[in-house]
Amino acid sequence: MSIDNDVLRGGLHVSDELLGTILPIVVYWVYSGLYCLLGGMENYRLHTKKDEDEKNLVTKKEVVKGVLLQQVVQSIVATVLFAVTGNDGDSEGNQHGFLVLVRQLFVAMVILDTWQYFMHRYMHQNKFLYKHIHSQHHRLVVPYAFGALYNHPLEGLLLDTIGGALAFLFSGMSPRASIFFFSFATIKTVDDHCGLWLPGNLFHIVFKNNSAYHDIHHQLYGSKYNFSQPFFVTWDRILGTYMPYALVEKPEGGYEARPDKDCKDD
């Protein structure tokens, strides 16, 4: 079912541009909220609830404030981007076939992955940037869903917002296509930080870059590995920063993403 350029919602006309700006934010809180409801499932957690409470270096109140700040900046940039590009999603979207849309979405995924890998890795290699900017995200030693976008404001702008803008511009997608791309990217990012390993989760089945893979990176021994986000592990494999691991079921319940010993000792 297609979305008209101006959709009637309770007497209000909502443009594709507005949906592309607002819906990913709504999706973020709805999807992470669902994971909050599942948070007590100790048999599927990668870390215990006790570890989450004791090891993390920031309160959940501060995390919520940080995420909301990033989403405000994200909304402003998206509004400006749509206004500057003046992309007519209605006329272009109707002319593009399914294969064109698939190509645009794939190109956007590759661009976003590439941008985030190199920016993310550089923020670890540059001691000043890590200490003053990126270390804020790593205050979450035990990740959880609604902390996925908890970053320093400058990091949120550089990695997520500008990375998303580049993916939008160079893929050639319309505002209508961006609704689906950015909502999907948001769901994927939240899932990667959910701290759970649920049987049948399609993200865990389809993507090597998943909650266990990213959990490795949040641990001290994994900070030089697994920089890739949010979709593929390609750049980690090509550039030697891929840390293989085994998902081990713990006797007391739950799982552990256990890296290969050689990598861990490095």
Side-chain angles (χ1 to χ4, degrees):
M1 183 177 178
S2 62
I3 304 175
D4 293 330
N5 190 46
D6 288 319
V7 185
L8 190 62
R9 293 290 186 269
L12 296 177
H13 294 283
V14 183
S15 66
D16 289 340
E17 290 82 357
L18 183 58
L19 282 174
T21 301
I22 300 300
L23 192 58
I25 296 174
V26 174
V27 166
Y28 182 92
W29 292 109
V30 170
Y31 193 63
S32 62
L34 292 175
Y35 268 121
C36 287
L37 296 177
L38 298 175
M41 302 178 70
E42 292 294 332
N43 288 336
Y44 301 102
R45 293 177 65 99
L46 296 173
H47 298 272
T48 65
K49 186 67 169 62
K50 181 180 179 181
D51 284 344
E52 179 183 307
D53 294 335
E54 294 181 354
K55 291 184 177 181
N56 286 339
L57 306 176
V58 60
T59 66
K60 292 183 177 179
K61 180 180 179 180
E62 289 300 313
V63 168
V64 170
K65 289 168 59 178
V67 172
L68 289 174
L69 175 59
Q70 175 166 332
Q71 290 176 331
V72 168
V73 175
Q74 172 185 311
S75 299
I76 293 171
V77 172
T79 300
V80 172
L81 182 65
F82 286 137
V84 170
T85 57
N87 198 338
D88 188 348
D90 219 23
S91 61
E92 292 184 6
N94 289 333
Q95 295 173 8
H96 290 167
F98 177 73
L99 292 180
V100 174
L101 178 60
V102 170
R103 175 183 60 79
Q104 290 176 339
L105 296 178
F106 178 74
V107 169
M109 291 169 76
V110 171
I111 292 172
L112 185 58
D113 257 31
T114 300
W115 176 264
Q116 293 213 353
Y117 175 85
F118 287 101
M119 289 297 296
H120 185 193
R121 184 174 179 178
Y122 184 64
M123 284 193 174
H124 275 268
Q125 294 174 329
N126 186 297
K127 293 181 180 179
F128 178 86
L129 291 178
Y130 183 83
K131 179 179 179 180
H132 296 285
I133 296 178
H134 187 56
S135 62
Q136 178 168 325
H137 183 68
H138 281 272
R139 292 175 187 172
L140 291 177
V141 179
V142 178
Y144 49 79
F146 68 84
L149 291 183
Y150 175 67
N151 301 304
H152 187 283
L154 183 58
E155 178 180 350
L157 177 64
L158 290 174
L159 258 73
D160 300 317
T161 306
I162 292 181
L166 291 173
F168 172 77
L169 290 171
F170 287 101
S171 66
M173 70 172 65
S174 66
R176 180 172 303 170
S178 77
I179 297 171
F180 300 100
F181 175 71
F182 289 119
S183 294
F184 176 69
T186 297
I187 291 173
K188 179 67 172 62
T189 301
V190 169
D191 206 89
D192 291 346
H193 290 81
C194 70
L196 296 171
W197 187 268
L198 296 174
N201 186 322
L202 290 178
F203 287 119
H204 300 164
I205 297 171
V206 175
F207 292 95
K208 294 292 184 181
N209 198 334
N210 50 45
S211 59
Y213 185 84
H214 193 65
D215 181 74
I216 292 287
H217 176 73
H218 272 259
Q219 309 313 307
L220 182 60
Y221 54 78
S223 63
K224 296 181 180 179
Y225 298 91
N226 296 11
F227 298 110
S228 292
Q229 56 186 45
F231 299 112
F232 310 115
V233 300
T234 308
W235 286 114
D236 276 322
R237 287 188 178 276
I238 292 174
L239 297 177
T241 54
Y242 176 84
M243 179 181 275
Y245 67 92
L247 193 66
V248 179
E249 192 168 356
K250 295 184 289 188
E252 66 274 21
Y255 294 91
E256 177 187 359
R258 187 174 296 171
D260 285 355
K261 186 177 186 299
D262 290 341
C263 292
K264 188 170 182 176
D265 288 344
D266 287 343

